Amino acid sequence: MTDTETPLQPKKKGLTRRQKRSLSRGAQYAVFVAAVIAFAVSADWGRLQNQFAQKDIAGQMFPEVITLALKNTVLYTVTGFAVGLALGMVVALMRLSSVGPYRWLAGVYIEIFRGLPALLIFIFIGVAVPLAFPGTEIVGGTYGKVALALGLVAAAYMAETIRAGIQAVPKGQMEAARSLGFSPARAMVSIIIPQAFRIILPPLTNELVLLFKDSSLVLFLGVTLEERELSKYGRDLASTTANSTPILVAGLCYLLITIPLGFVVRRMEAKAQEAVK
């Protein structure tokens, strides 16, 4: 080594990729904990409890909040889902039809009812239909109106889901059915649609959760005391007691349904992914 040469300096080792990820994860946890602590310290828990957690007011809501409000909410949701599923199946088949006017009509329906807010559909059913058809009564009264309104909204989304599920079934299934002597209609009903429903079951269940929440729009149809659902029931009691505890109880009742349904959706999606693997 000459006098002008300098010894090689060892390279400084930086953080490894794993260490960087650990530091990033630790920083995110620290930010989260700091935000929770800041919220817990700054919130006025006494006022919140006084306004939203009065045990005596919550106790007065039972059992009616379950036997009346929750029951009506579930009934509205189930009937609306049934109407939406039946109508959505018809629209989906029209969308896949080889007849041009059927495809056009189905496309227009989907674009309109998927683009309009559900609130406007409820107002249309409650106001426009009686004006357009004087003396006409929808079967089932308020329950029938809610089922129709929710069904019209849900069918637009379900139709696209069902169409995608049918198209996801391998074309060879239809060809195999035809080779066995099945007619196109029979093959669709017996072979294709059952396989499609196994594919689309998770998104359909998710649609049920959305309908459960949209049932709160029933108040725009004008309901009696015996026809109130959770949101209307909670709001009425909140106005009567000048306290928001009934709103919180109604929200918890919604969660009694939506959380288990959400868990079911995740389980079905996980099973579907395992089946694909």
Side-chain angles (χ1 to χ4, degrees):
M1 182 182 297
T2 63
D3 295 338
T4 57
E5 293 179 337
T6 57
L8 295 175
Q9 298 293 331
K11 293 183 178 180
K12 295 182 178 180
K13 293 184 178 180
L15 295 175
T16 64
R17 186 176 299 177
R18 178 177 297 178
Q19 289 173 330
K20 290 180 180 179
R21 285 201 301 264
S22 299
L23 285 175
S24 175
R25 190 180 301 112
Q28 293 177 42
Y29 277 116
V31 171
F32 174 75
V33 171
V36 171
I37 293 175
F39 173 77
V41 172
S42 61
D44 190 339
W45 296 104
R47 294 182 63 183
L48 286 174
Q49 181 179 2
N50 183 60
Q51 185 64 25
F52 289 95
Q54 291 293 324
K55 293 182 180 180
D56 54 339
I57 296 177
Q60 295 172 10
M61 299 177 64
F62 291 90
E64 196 174 36
V65 67
I66 302 296
T67 59
L68 175 67
L70 183 58
K71 181 201 72 175
N72 283 337
T73 299
V74 172
L75 183 59
Y76 293 146
T77 303
V78 171
T79 54
F81 183 82
V83 172
L85 185 60
L87 182 58
M89 175 62 71
V90 174
V91 175
L93 293 177
M94 291 174 62
R95 185 82 160 163
L96 296 170
S97 173
S98 59
V99 181
Y102 286 169
R103 294 197 307 272
W104 177 84
L105 185 60
V108 170
Y109 172 86
I110 290 172
E111 293 302 323
I112 290 177
F113 283 91
R114 196 169 55 175
L116 288 175
L119 171 61
L120 295 184
I121 306 300
F122 272 81
I123 295 175
F124 175 81
I125 295 298
V127 178
V129 171
L131 290 177
F133 306 98
T136 301
E137 289 291 335
I138 296 177
V139 178
T142 300
Y143 294 97
K145 292 178 182 178
V146 176
L148 180 59
L150 288 176
L152 288 173
V153 175
Y157 294 93
M158 290 185 184
E160 287 294 270
T161 301
I162 294 171
R163 179 187 62 82
I166 291 175
Q167 292 180 327
V169 177
K171 293 182 179 180
Q173 295 292 319
M174 175 63 78
E175 296 171 357
R178 294 301 306 277
S179 67
L180 293 175
F182 283 71
S183 66
R186 186 183 174 190
M188 178 65 70
V189 173
S190 302
I191 306 298
I192 305 301
I193 291 179
Q195 294 186 59
F197 266 85
R198 283 196 292 269
I199 298 172
I200 64 176
L201 198 54
L204 285 182
T205 308
N206 196 45
E207 182 64 31
L208 180 62
V209 175
L210 296 176
L211 283 182
F212 188 74
K213 294 183 290 185
D214 284 343
S215 65
S216 61
L217 298 174
V218 68
L219 66 95
F220 291 97
L221 295 177
V223 296
T224 65
L225 293 177
E226 296 300 318
E227 295 170 341
R228 291 178 297 175
E229 42 69 54
L230 281 171
S231 293
K232 175 66 173 171
Y233 182 82
R235 279 193 295 268
D236 288 348
L237 284 184
S239 299
T240 303
T241 60
N243 190 275
S244 299
T245 299
I247 301 295
L248 178 62
V249 174
L252 293 176
C253 289
Y254 275 107
L255 295 179
L256 288 177
I257 303 296
T258 57
I259 289 179
L261 280 177
F263 175 77
V264 171
V265 171
R266 289 191 295 272
R267 290 291 298 171
M268 288 190 298
E269 289 176 345
K271 287 184 178 181
Q273 291 176 357
E274 291 177 0
V276 172
K277 294 178 181 180

